[in-house]
PDB file of all heavy atoms in Angstrom:
ATOM      1  N   ASP A1431     -25.190  11.736   1.475  1.00 49.00           N
ATOM      2  CA  ASP A1431     -26.526  11.172   1.624  1.00 49.00           C
ATOM      3  C   ASP A1431     -26.653   9.756   1.097  1.00 49.00           C
ATOM      4  O   ASP A1431     -27.733   9.160   1.128  1.00 49.00           O
ATOM      5  CB  ASP A1431     -27.571  12.083   0.974  1.00 49.00           C
ATOM      6  CG  ASP A1431     -27.424  12.149  -0.537  1.00 49.00           C
ATOM      7  OD1 ASP A1431     -26.575  11.414  -1.083  1.00 49.00           O
ATOM      8  OD2 ASP A1431     -28.173  12.925  -1.164  1.00 49.00           O
ATOM      9  N   ALA A1445      -9.857   8.929  -4.224  1.00 97.00           N
ATOM     10  CA  ALA A1445      -9.331   9.408  -2.943  1.00 97.00           C
ATOM     11  C   ALA A1445      -9.077   8.247  -1.991  1.00 97.00           C
ATOM     12  O   ALA A1445      -8.085   8.240  -1.252  1.00 97.00           O
ATOM     13  CB  ALA A1445     -10.309  10.403  -2.322  1.00 97.00           C
ATOM     14  N   MET A1471     -18.265  13.769  10.613  1.00 98.00           N
ATOM     15  CA  MET A1471     -17.405  13.024  11.528  1.00 98.00           C
ATOM     16  C   MET A1471     -18.151  11.817  12.112  1.00 98.00           C
ATOM     17  O   MET A1471     -18.799  11.083  11.373  1.00 98.00           O
ATOM     18  CB  MET A1471     -16.846  13.942  12.619  1.00 98.00           C
ATOM     19  CG  MET A1471     -15.788  14.903  12.101  1.00 98.00           C
ATOM     20  SD  MET A1471     -16.438  16.331  11.188  1.00 98.00           S
ATOM     21  CE  MET A1471     -16.958  17.388  12.530  1.00 98.00           C
ATOM     22  N   THR A1484     -31.508  15.813   9.454  1.00 97.00           N
ATOM     23  CA  THR A1484     -30.385  16.647   9.871  1.00 97.00           C
ATOM     24  C   THR A1484     -30.857  18.092   9.965  1.00 97.00           C
ATOM     25  O   THR A1484     -31.490  18.606   9.047  1.00 97.00           O
ATOM     26  CB  THR A1484     -29.205  16.538   8.894  1.00 97.00           C
ATOM     27  OG1 THR A1484     -29.645  16.813   7.573  1.00 97.00           O
ATOM     28  CG2 THR A1484     -28.589  15.151   8.954  1.00 97.00           C
ATOM     29  N   VAL A1575     -11.377  -3.695  14.116  1.00 98.00           N
ATOM     30  CA  VAL A1575     -12.406  -2.658  14.098  1.00 98.00           C
ATOM     31  C   VAL A1575     -12.115  -1.703  15.243  1.00 98.00           C
ATOM     32  O   VAL A1575     -12.086  -2.122  16.406  1.00 98.00           O
ATOM     33  CB  VAL A1575     -13.825  -3.246  14.254  1.00 98.00           C
ATOM     34  CG1 VAL A1575     -14.858  -2.126  14.312  1.00 98.00           C
ATOM     35  CG2 VAL A1575     -14.152  -4.206  13.115  1.00 98.00           C
ATOM     36  N   ALA A1595     -23.809   1.249  28.409  1.00 98.00           N
ATOM     37  CA  ALA A1595     -22.789   1.572  27.408  1.00 98.00           C
ATOM     38  C   ALA A1595     -21.845   0.394  27.206  1.00 98.00           C
ATOM     39  O   ALA A1595     -21.410   0.111  26.078  1.00 98.00           O
ATOM     40  CB  ALA A1595     -22.016   2.817  27.821  1.00 98.00           C
ATOM     41  N   GLU A1597     -22.708  -2.763  27.676  1.00 98.00           N
ATOM     42  CA  GLU A1597     -23.494  -3.750  26.937  1.00 98.00           C
ATOM     43  C   GLU A1597     -23.623  -3.362  25.473  1.00 98.00           C
ATOM     44  O   GLU A1597     -23.651  -4.233  24.585  1.00 98.00           O
ATOM     45  CB  GLU A1597     -24.879  -3.889  27.586  1.00 98.00           C
ATOM     46  CG  GLU A1597     -24.833  -4.490  28.985  1.00 98.00           C
ATOM     47  CD  GLU A1597     -26.151  -4.358  29.731  1.00 98.00           C
ATOM     48  OE1 GLU A1597     -27.083  -3.732  29.176  1.00 98.00           O
ATOM     49  OE2 GLU A1597     -26.255  -4.894  30.853  1.00 98.00           O
ATOM     50  N   ALA A1608     -13.495  -9.890  13.955  1.00 98.00           N
ATOM     51  CA  ALA A1608     -12.247  -9.117  13.973  1.00 98.00           C
ATOM     52  C   ALA A1608     -11.893  -8.714  15.400  1.00 98.00           C
ATOM     53  O   ALA A1608     -12.739  -8.737  16.304  1.00 98.00           O
ATOM     54  CB  ALA A1608     -12.397  -7.869  13.098  1.00 98.00           C
ATOM     55  N   TYR A1615     -10.597   9.029  23.946  1.00 98.00           N
ATOM     56  CA  TYR A1615      -9.650  10.145  23.802  1.00 98.00           C
ATOM     57  C   TYR A1615     -10.248  11.437  24.327  1.00 98.00           C
ATOM     58  O   TYR A1615     -11.398  11.482  24.737  1.00 98.00           O
ATOM     59  CB  TYR A1615      -9.151  10.294  22.361  1.00 98.00           C
ATOM     60  CG  TYR A1615     -10.172  10.245  21.253  1.00 98.00           C
ATOM     61  CD1 TYR A1615     -10.651  11.407  20.667  1.00 98.00           C
ATOM     62  CD2 TYR A1615     -10.622   9.031  20.755  1.00 98.00           C
ATOM     63  CE1 TYR A1615     -11.550  11.373  19.618  1.00 98.00           C
ATOM     64  CE2 TYR A1615     -11.529   8.979  19.699  1.00 98.00           C
ATOM     65  CZ  TYR A1615     -11.995  10.150  19.141  1.00 98.00           C
ATOM     66  OH  TYR A1615     -12.895  10.106  18.095  1.00 98.00           O
ATOM     67  N   LYS A1622     -15.134   4.593  37.374  1.00 97.00           N
ATOM     68  CA  LYS A1622     -16.298   3.708  37.217  1.00 97.00           C
ATOM     69  C   LYS A1622     -16.574   3.401  35.754  1.00 97.00           C
ATOM     70  O   LYS A1622     -16.892   2.262  35.397  1.00 97.00           O
ATOM     71  CB  LYS A1622     -17.528   4.327  37.885  1.00 97.00           C
ATOM     72  CG  LYS A1622     -17.468   4.297  39.409  1.00 97.00           C
ATOM     73  CD  LYS A1622     -18.769   4.781  40.034  1.00 97.00           C
ATOM     74  CE  LYS A1622     -18.717   4.675  41.548  1.00 97.00           C
ATOM     75  NZ  LYS A1622     -19.991   5.136  42.185  1.00 97.00           N
ATOM     76  N   ILE A1688       3.941   0.546  33.630  1.00 93.00           N
ATOM     77  CA  ILE A1688       2.901  -0.452  33.897  1.00 93.00           C
ATOM     78  C   ILE A1688       3.579  -1.720  34.393  1.00 93.00           C
ATOM     79  O   ILE A1688       4.214  -2.441  33.618  1.00 93.00           O
ATOM     80  CB  ILE A1688       2.073  -0.748  32.628  1.00 93.00           C
ATOM     81  CG1 ILE A1688       1.449   0.542  32.081  1.00 93.00           C
ATOM     82  CG2 ILE A1688       0.970  -1.765  32.926  1.00 93.00           C
ATOM     83  CD1 ILE A1688       0.746   0.377  30.765  1.00 93.00           C
TER      84      ILE A1688
END
Side-chain angles (χ1 to χ4, degrees):
D1431 67 5
M1471 288 77 79
T1484 54
V1575 177
E1597 294 168 356
Y1615 46 99
K1622 288 186 177 180
I1688 303 174

